[in-house]
Amino acid sequence: MRAVRRLVVLLASLALAATTLVAVATPAQAAARAQRITLSVNRTSLVSGQQVTLAGRTTPKAAKRTVHLQQRYVGSATWRTVRKVTTSASGRFTASLTLTSTRSSYFRAYLPKRPGYQKAYSGRTAKIGVRPKPAVAVTAAVLPAAATAGLAATVAGTVSPASGPVAYLQRRTESGQWATLRKATVSETGRYVVAFTPQAAGALDLRVYVPATASRAAGYSAVVRVPVASRPAIGYRAPARRQAVSLGIENIVNPQDWAGLRAEVDDAHVNVLHLAAGRVEWTAFDWGAHPEVAAEAGSDHLARAIDELGTLPDGTPRGIDLVIDALVPEWIRKDPSIAGQDAAGSRARYMASAAALHDGAVGDRFVELARDLAVRYRPTQITFTELAFDDETFGAADLALYRRMTGEKDWPRDGSGRIDEESGRIDAWRSQVIGDLLARVRRALDEVTPQVGHRVQLAQDVLVDGDDPAAGRPDAGHDYRQLWQVVDKVVAWVYFDSGDRPAGEVSR
């Protein structure tokens, strides 16, 4: 009996040993070790086109392994792999995905089998909602409403919100496609002004297009139809003989022998008067909006000059050109931040920075002064003088403006790393700055045409390249081709028999 019990115990022990050996040696069970993977998301609400960042880790760490990031739309049962990423040495991973669909979705991470481990899935993320991009609102208006072939017209409007640095003026072609005419810079406040010159009579369909950004959809203005008349053979030419005299601020503000001066201009058959209106910091009249800058409080020296000299002996009105001097030395003295700076950091004494002119406080004041002069005196023309750059366009604000207008990251530089001040890209940018400012002035003058009763012309004094007159002076902001898109006249800033240039050369 005792021997039988021993046999039973021995058989049971052998069975247990056999079972244990099977458990250790089974390959399927040896490869079934568990591994875990986690996944988190940095945001659960975004706009179409924005990015979401997914991050996670593996436990135990799975170094240099491929992780499948999978997406499932809400309402669907199907997971699909949208990105594969590789884990770091510590078993971590991260990836950014751009979500363009506006369907809400979930994400999870999948780690395939590896030797000795099972495959693993993370839990799903919270639901990620994607909103459509809001559209940019764009307005556009054309002045004058009826354009003339060969003459500049302007398009101006707003972009709301101000979502990008540029807008594109486009025309509809005969095939129905849209072609870009000009590029306009959108200010930080969402304003733009762009000039164009229709080449032929007929009708133009125009619109303004603002490209999409990461947070905004592209925007289009309503289509504006512009009738374009033929340019008359006569009526737009300068008079056969144009006799002009210019009276500086000192002639207008100081006491005058008006009778004697009138006799002189009558004897010279003067039919155009250029009258200095002053600067935005010092005016020849009591400017209601800014009385503190009047040369003489309570006095209107411009009105007096026009009353005394504004008509020919037969009563015919003389042309009146009011000249705005663009220098601002007193404003710079009070607020040096508006001054231009050269490449070495030295501030200008007389000229504002490109940024202050383009869409800053100084440019705003120029536009305001031109508009107020037009309404107050109803002149034939308004001219800007001294509106030219020297070397002082390299301050921090100007660099920010250069980047915004050109898309460049920095100034052009030479091999030694210094700013390439002779770069044609800087010249073109300077001309665009002045062109944009004058386009704003042109827009303001066109807006007050109903009050004035006629279209006030706009002119710009320009520097001249004596060796190549047609080249203009882009380095000073005077690319004639750019200016002629905006102004009615460019006034060549030259003098007869000055220096080594005889009258015949100046005439050329």
Side-chain angles (χ1 to χ4, degrees), residues 270-416:
V270 169
N271 54 19
V272 177
L273 287 174
H274 301 283
L275 304 177
R279 300 170 176 170
V280 291
E281 60 181 20
W282 198 74
T283 59
F285 66 101
D286 199 344
W287 191 1
H290 304 280
E292 73 281 359
V293 303
E296 185 177 348
S299 298
D300 192 336
H301 299 285
L302 276 178
R304 175 71 186 276
I306 294 171
D307 287 343
E308 293 285 353
L309 307 174
T311 57
L312 292 163
D314 63 0
T316 303
R318 288 187 168 104
I320 301 297
D321 176 17
L322 301 182
V323 182
I324 298 174
D325 187 322
L327 301 182
V328 286
E330 184 63 19
W331 195 341
I332 289 174
R333 188 184 68 80
K334 294 178 180 178
D335 181 7
S337 69
I338 70 162
Q341 293 184 46
D342 64 19
S346 298
R347 294 186 185 274
R349 293 178 57 191
Y350 298 99
M351 190 66 177
S353 68
L357 287 171
H358 186 265
D359 47 25
V362 179
D364 289 345
R365 191 71 62 85
F366 284 163
V367 174
E368 182 182 3
L369 178 57
R371 181 183 60 244
D372 290 358
L373 287 172
V375 172
R376 183 166 182 150
Y377 302 105
R378 302 182 180 182
T380 310
Q381 179 172 291
I382 287 177
T383 298
F384 277 84
T385 191
E386 302 285 358
L387 185 57
F389 291 121
D390 196 355
D391 299 324
E392 295 93 359
T393 60
F394 297 109
D398 287 347
L399 176 56
L401 179 67
Y402 179 78
R403 288 170 171 166
R404 179 158 60 90
M405 292 178 65
T406 66
E408 302 282 348
K409 294 182 179 180
D410 192 12
W411 300 116
R413 295 186 180 273
D414 59 23
S416 64

Side-chain angles (χ1 to χ4, degrees), residues 117-287:
Y117 292 93
Q118 301 172 346
K119 64 183 177 181
Y121 291 94
S122 72
R124 74 183 189 188
T125 63
K127 182 174 70 175
I128 300 175
V130 183
R131 306 183 305 278
K133 286 184 181 180
V136 175
V138 184
T139 66
V142 180
L143 285 176
T148 301
L151 296 182
T154 57
V155 176
T158 60
V159 176
S160 179
S163 58
V166 295
Y168 296 90
L169 176 64
Q170 299 182 325
R171 67 174 180 88
R172 185 159 24 212
T173 65
E174 294 181 359
S175 64
Q177 302 298 312
W178 289 95
T180 296
L181 288 174
R182 299 292 303 281
K183 179 174 72 172
T185 301
V186 180
S187 74
E188 294 177 353
T189 58
R191 297 180 301 169
Y192 71 86
V193 180
V194 59
F196 73 101
T197 302
Q199 299 301 314
L204 284 176
D205 283 343
L206 302 176
R207 74 177 184 186
V208 173
Y209 158 65
V210 176
T213 67
S215 59
R216 299 282 175 183
Y220 298 88
S221 72
V223 176
V224 180
R225 170 151 288 195
V226 183
V228 181
S230 298
R231 186 167 183 171
I234 58 173
Y236 287 92
R237 296 176 181 171
R241 186 170 182 82
R242 190 166 181 265
Q243 296 283 86
V245 67
S246 177
L247 298 183
I249 193 77
E250 68 282 358
N251 304 119
I252 295 173
V253 172
N254 294 331
Q256 296 286 328
D257 174 9
W258 290 111
L261 188 55
R262 190 183 312 115
E264 288 188 40
V265 298
D266 288 347
D267 289 345
H269 305 287
V270 169
N271 54 19
V272 177
L273 287 174
H274 301 283
L275 304 177
R279 300 170 176 170
V280 291
E281 60 181 20
W282 198 74
T283 59
F285 66 101
D286 199 344
W287 191 1

Side-chain angles (χ1 to χ4, degrees), residues 7 33 255 333:
L7 180 59
R33 294 172 61 185
R333 188 184 68 80

